[in-house]
Amino acid sequence: MTESNQDAQPASSRAPTAAELDEAARLLEAGQLVAFPTETVYGLGADAENPQAVARIFAAKGRPSNHPIIVHVVDGADISYWVRDIPEAARKLIDAFWPGPLTLILKRADHVPADVAGGQDSIGLRCPSHPVAQALLSRFKRGRGGIAAPSANKFGQVSPTTAQHVRDEFGDSVFVLEGDGVEVGIESTIVDLSRLDRGVGPVLLRPGAITPAMMADVLGVAPLPPDAAAPRASGTLKAHYAPRTPLYLRHAGELPAAMADLPADARVAWVAAAPVPDPRCTWIPAPHDAPSYARELYRLLRRLDRQGFARLYLEPLPGTAEWAGVRDRLNRAAAAFDGT
């Protein structure tokens, strides 16, 4: 995926100063919103224990109030403050993968406001590995707070992986911390451990960089697929992560029929391993490995949205386990347009 100069990492991107981090922590403690980088995507943060601040997230994103928000905690945090109990499976996964792109769903402690959990009795916790996120968390309430933070974009649309993406969404209405190193590029893996006492789980609610095989190596058992009684979790609606330009997953041989209704002068983007002979298709070479594809996906979709294409066609991804996270994001993006 070749990026234009506009989409390369901005020259202004840099590590925030201590004063900027202090200001971000002060704003969070005052009930305001702050956007900050994690190793997955940029988050739109608020004090997880302040219902009015959490409500600002829902309002800014246009997010349904019953859609839970993941709470981010500092490395080494005592998560017993947030949950009723910490099962052994959770301790093992924390030891293996925190800080990192893994969210654990556990039973929410009674004193933690239900607003952040979408009204449920469970809560999602994550410890991000990005140094800016950790620096902010260590300052916020002197490291004893939690930052509720979904992706810093309008609900259902493409997640941001740069500070400029956040500014494109919210302008000057949100304080944004700069930060290089969004290494993963798609949202965290989410695993439900809230029902172990009932003999259910672990259950994989959203795939990501931490794969079922990696968790099985730690737990001795692979997480189960989602079931009808699973808790609601971030980013698991059928249609999500969608650009403004209609996006479809098609094989090369399906393109002539898919494009039959388009005007002769229409331009479409074709993201795939190889080009096609149709002159209307602008070919964007796709990375050959899942981590690279995930890192570049959201930035690519935002760039293509600005280029006047009538449609975006992306070649379906391999069905292997290593591709599950990015394949999940593309399937949900396409579902916003054709229900696939």
Side-chain angles (χ1 to χ4, degrees), residues 69-296:
I69 298 174
I70 294 167
V71 176
H72 296 65
V73 297
V74 74
D75 189 14
D78 180 6
I79 68 166
S80 64
Y81 176 81
W82 299 94
V83 301
R84 287 183 229 164
D85 62 87
I86 308 172
E88 184 61 24
R91 295 187 186 278
K92 289 180 177 179
L93 291 175
I94 288 169
D95 289 343
F97 300 116
W98 279 16
L102 177 66
T103 294
L104 303 180
I105 305 295
L106 299 165
K107 293 180 179 178
R108 176 174 55 83
D110 291 338
H111 68 270
V112 176
D115 307 63
V116 76
Q120 299 180 114
D121 63 358
S122 58
I123 189 169
L125 294 177
R126 180 164 106 77
C127 177
S129 63
H130 196 289
V132 173
Q134 282 296 319
L136 176 61
L137 284 160
S138 68
R139 284 166 167 79
F140 175 58
K141 295 185 176 180
R142 298 183 179 180
R144 294 190 292 272
I147 301 177
S151 56
N153 56 278
K154 298 295 185 180
F155 184 70
Q157 297 179 8
V158 179
S159 299
T161 55
T162 70
Q164 186 57 49
H165 291 166
V166 181
R167 296 187 183 100
D168 291 343
E169 295 275 342
F170 298 109
D172 296 330
S173 65
V174 173
F175 186 90
V176 182
L177 287 173
E178 296 277 354
D180 295 332
V182 177
E183 297 176 355
V184 177
I186 59 172
E187 296 78 3
S188 62
T189 301
I190 300 179
V191 61
D192 175 32
L193 302 175
S194 68
R195 299 175 291 161
L196 293 176
D197 60 337
R198 290 179 271 161
V200 181
V203 174
L204 180 67
L205 301 185
R206 182 174 71 185
I210 306 300
T211 66
M214 294 164 68
M215 288 185 277
D217 285 345
V218 172
L219 299 177
V221 60
L224 300 169
D227 58 280
R232 297 186 305 278
S234 296
T236 56
L237 297 180
K238 182 178 180 180
H240 216 80
Y241 314 110
R244 294 185 301 274
T245 309
L247 181 154
Y248 304 93
L249 302 181
R250 297 290 186 266
H251 292 284
E254 299 172 308
L255 287 182
M259 296 171 59
D261 62 325
L262 288 176
D265 61 349
R267 295 169 54 246
V268 304
W270 169 238
V271 182
V276 293
D278 193 317
R280 294 176 295 174
C281 294
T282 297
W283 176 47
I284 297 94
H288 296 292
D289 65 278
S292 296
Y293 205 118
R295 276 193 299 272
E296 298 186 37

